[in-house]
Amino acid sequence: ANALSRPPGEYGRKIKTQIYGMDFTTEKLRSLVRKWQQIVECSVDVKTTDGYILRVFGMAFTKKQPRQQKKTAYAQSAQLRAIRQQMMKVITEQCTSCDLKALVVKFTSEAISKEMESAAQRVFPIQNVFIRKVKLIRDSPSRVAVLAAMHDSTKVAEAGRTVERKEETA
């Protein structure tokens, strides 16, 4: 997965970045899609403990049951809804219980994906469960205030003397 970050500002010779999203590469997505199975996708808007609002997209694929003779691994629509509900429940629980920094660690270690898979296995056999995409919907109000205060204080410190304007005579 690609983590997307942008610099909120420069601080001397160092640039501090802030994450604003994560996404799978196209090659990874294409390699997961197979014939005779279904994809189950869900999206949830969550608010972290430090005030960031994220939109998290989950993804899973159905798989054949043990000793299954049938060629396809299609789930019924009620089973798909139940899988989606379990995935959304796990994403909400995991994302609302920590701050953004800890959440990035959870995304990269795929801890949420493993928990989603174990929760949804009770409904129908699934495989390749991932957090497919994360979007930053709204910044933390405290983060915006800190950045604004930081930039305002540097302007005051660098302020020079005022220059008087000469009147033009024509």
Side-chain angles (χ1 to χ4, degrees):
N2 289 338
L4 309 170
S5 61
R6 62 176 169 230
E10 290 188 31
Y11 309 102
R13 294 178 57 113
K14 297 180 181 177
I15 295 179
K16 297 184 179 183
T17 60
Q18 176 186 2
I19 188 163
Y20 72 93
M22 181 185 89
D23 198 1
F24 261 14
T25 60
T26 307
E27 293 85 16
K28 178 68 174 174
L29 280 174
R30 301 296 185 264
S31 70
L32 293 172
V33 176
R34 302 267 188 263
K35 289 172 75 171
W36 317 119
Q37 67 181 7
Q38 283 180 304
I39 186 169
V40 185
E41 292 182 311
C42 70
S43 66
V44 184
D45 289 353
V46 293
K47 186 173 185 177
T48 60
T49 56
D50 52 353
Y52 289 94
I53 298 177
L54 304 170
R55 184 165 295 144
V56 182
F57 297 85
M59 172 179 76
F61 292 92
T62 59
K63 71 175 183 179
K64 288 184 178 181
Q65 295 181 5
R67 298 187 305 265
Q68 178 177 329
Q69 297 296 317
K70 190 168 66 168
K71 183 178 182 179
T72 62
Y74 297 147
Q76 296 178 347
S77 60
Q79 291 172 323
L80 293 176
R81 278 194 305 272
I83 292 171
R84 201 172 288 120
Q85 185 179 20
Q86 290 292 326
M87 290 170 61
M88 291 167 61
K89 180 181 167 190
V90 170
I91 290 172
T92 305
E93 287 173 357
Q94 292 289 322
C95 294
T96 56
S97 65
C98 61
D99 62 342
L100 186 66
K101 188 175 181 180
L103 197 57
V104 170
V105 172
K106 284 185 181 183
F107 289 147
T108 55
S109 68
E110 297 182 358
I112 299 175
S113 301
K114 292 171 187 164
E115 192 171 328
M116 283 190 325
E117 184 174 3
S118 65
Q121 283 288 359
R122 297 180 205 125
V123 179
F124 195 86
I126 58 172
Q127 62 184 352
N128 297 333
V129 182
F130 296 106
I131 298 293
R132 182 179 61 86
K133 183 189 274 189
V134 178
K135 291 181 181 179
L136 180 67
I137 303 296
R138 188 171 299 142
D139 254 351
S140 172
S142 62
R143 176 73 176 151
V144 173
V146 167
L147 279 174
M150 189 182 311
H151 289 295
D152 289 342
S153 66
T154 58
K155 288 181 183 176
V156 172
E158 296 175 3
R161 62 183 175 90
T162 58
V163 179
E164 295 180 19
R165 181 180 233 170
K166 295 180 183 178
E167 293 185 26
E168 295 180 21
T169 55

